Amino acid sequence: MNLAAAANETMAHNSNMLVYSAMAVYTLAFLAHMAEWVFGSRSKVGRTAAALTAQAKAPATASARAGASGSAGTVVLERPKVISRSVPGSRDVPDGPGAAGGTEKGDLYGRIAISLTVLAWALHVGGVVTRALSVQRAPWGNMYEFSTTFAAVAVGAYLLLLVLKKNVRWIGLPLITSVLLDLGLAVSVLYTASDQLVPALHSYWLWIHVSCAIISGAVLYLGAVATLLFLFRDRHEAKLADPTAKQPGTFATSVLERLPSAASLDKFAYRINATVFPLWTFTIIAGAIWAEAAWGRYWGWDPKEVWTFITWVAYAGYLHARATAGWKGRKAAWLGLIAFACYLFNYYGVNIFVTGLHSYAGV
């Protein structure tokens, strides 16, 4: 018995070391992603805007020189319209790779960043699996385990999209940044030593219900990142298209021009949220079935159940808004962010500040 306990303790220690090792490699990946953004190409809209600016400056300079030399004639400049949004009713988007590709140096750093991300993810998954072996159950019985698994699934979903040849390398930098923050919070604040669960949780529904919640949340997080970037990029494009508006600064322009167009980001976020919404619906159904088996009722308005339902309603409202003519673009984007904020509060706020039947695992 003591040998078994010692073996479990050793595996728990190894799990922690793997997670710390993953964080170290994620940090290197973060630096490589930063280098890609610095040396990578700008998006097509950004390159077009820069070219138009150069074209506008050339006639202005020629006009000034002509005026200085007393030449007759007047040069009239018209600001060309930068087309950055898809045509209404069209699925096409006029933008390309964003930060990914375009220059040899940018591609090199991008490939290094992805390679380091894969290595870090492998270490990360190894830490999650080793934790499961140390506790001999599903490795998401408390907030520490949920957080580490959540981050691993989010990175795994990102890498899967890359394997499927989806042009999403632009999400690498914000994703790795947030993964480092998540793991840092997990190991410093949320850490809980390996332990067994209360009897109510000893069920195969732990594998089904919580795994679906983790997968749903991780993929919805990718959609939330794209939605947030859409708001910044959409505002940037609106300023470019409006000659009377104050034009973006050098730093903002340098960053935002390395993102895909607002139309690309909006479409990506919508597709992600629409794809994973049925799984989130199943998560609620599976939780209700598990609740009936554990507590003798399908639904009891426990705080966790309430906020899970609120999150479902928020995402249902977002998807409905996208199908309504007056709720496209920024309005729908804000609703999508509110929906993900409900998910975050359901995880952090309810678990830490609200007492209920789902408070059994502590932190």
Side-chain angles (χ1 to χ4, degrees), residues 90-104:
S90 172
R91 298 172 64 87
D92 297 329
V93 290
D95 209 356
T103 64
E104 183 177 353

Side-chain angles (χ1 to χ4, degrees), residues 6-348:
N8 291 339
E9 184 176 349
T10 300
M11 283 189 287
H13 175 74
N14 292 338
S15 173
N16 296 338
M17 294 306 298
L18 285 170
V19 171
Y20 279 112
S21 299
M23 292 176 65
V25 182
Y26 276 134
T27 302
L28 297 177
F30 166 80
L31 295 176
H33 276 296
M34 285 290 294
E36 180 189 18
W37 277 61
V38 171
F39 297 108
S41 69
R42 292 178 297 182
S43 65
K44 186 182 298 182
V45 172
R47 293 195 300 271
T48 301
L52 293 176
T53 302
Q55 292 172 11
K57 287 181 179 179
T61 303
S63 176
R65 289 176 179 174
S69 60
S71 300
T74 302
V75 178
V76 179
L77 296 179
E78 292 185 1
R79 182 184 181 87
K81 181 176 178 58
V82 180
I83 301 175
S84 56
R85 294 175 173 80
S86 58
V87 178
S90 172
R91 298 172 64 87
D92 297 329
V93 290
D95 209 356
T103 64
E104 183 177 353
K105 186 179 290 187
D107 274 339
L108 174 62
Y109 285 116
R111 290 193 296 270
I112 293 174
I114 297 302
S115 299
L116 289 171
T117 301
V118 171
L119 175 58
W121 180 72
L123 293 170
H124 191 168
V125 172
V128 172
V129 172
T130 308
R131 176 78 174 198
L133 294 175
S134 71
V135 294
Q136 299 180 1
R137 56 168 172 78
W140 40 73
N142 51 59
M143 291 186 69
Y144 167 76
E145 296 173 354
F146 191 101
S147 294
T148 54
T149 307
F150 178 94
V153 173
V155 177
Y158 166 64
L159 296 177
L160 177 61
L161 289 173
L162 292 176
V163 170
L164 295 176
K165 307 298 183 182
K166 303 300 182 181
N167 198 5
V168 295
R169 211 157 83 188
W170 49 269
I171 207 173
L173 179 60
L175 173 64
I176 299 305
T177 303
S178 57
V179 165
L180 282 171
L181 293 174
D182 176 76
L183 292 180
L185 181 64
V187 300
S188 61
V189 178
L190 303 178
Y191 181 76
T192 303
S194 300
D195 199 1
Q196 293 302 313
L197 301 176
V198 297
L201 296 184
H202 287 287
S203 170
Y204 60 88
W205 284 106
L206 176 65
W207 292 90
I208 299 173
H209 171 64
V210 183
S211 64
C212 289
I214 292 174
I215 295 171
S216 299
V219 178
L220 289 172
Y221 168 72
L222 297 182
V225 171
T227 301
L228 183 61
L229 294 178
F230 159 78
L231 291 173
F232 286 106
R233 178 72 202 202
D234 183 68
R235 182 177 178 84
H236 176 72
E237 292 177 7
K239 288 182 177 180
L240 288 178
D242 183 3
T244 64
K246 181 180 179 182
Q247 294 305 296
T250 303
F251 177 76
T253 298
S254 177
V255 173
L256 293 173
E257 285 178 356
R258 285 167 168 77
L259 290 173
S261 68
S264 298
L265 294 168
D266 186 46
K267 182 174 68 174
F268 175 81
Y270 172 68
R271 288 182 175 179
I272 286 289
N273 292 331
T275 299
V276 80
F277 181 73
L279 183 61
W280 182 247
T281 303
F282 175 76
T283 300
I284 297 177
I285 296 173
I289 296 174
W290 188 12
E292 196 280 331
W295 300 313
R297 88 292 187 278
Y298 289 100
W299 194 267
W301 299 104
D302 181 73
K304 177 71 70 171
E305 296 170 347
V306 170
W307 276 97
T308 299
F309 179 68
I310 290 175
T311 303
W312 184 90
V313 170
Y315 272 108
Y318 164 81
L319 295 176
H320 176 71
R322 289 299 304 253
T324 304
W327 281 86
K328 294 184 182 296
R330 298 183 67 86
K331 289 183 178 180
W334 282 112
L335 186 54
L337 289 180
I338 291 173
F340 188 71
C342 291
Y343 178 91
L344 289 180
F345 181 79
N346 187 30
Y347 174 52
Y348 288 105

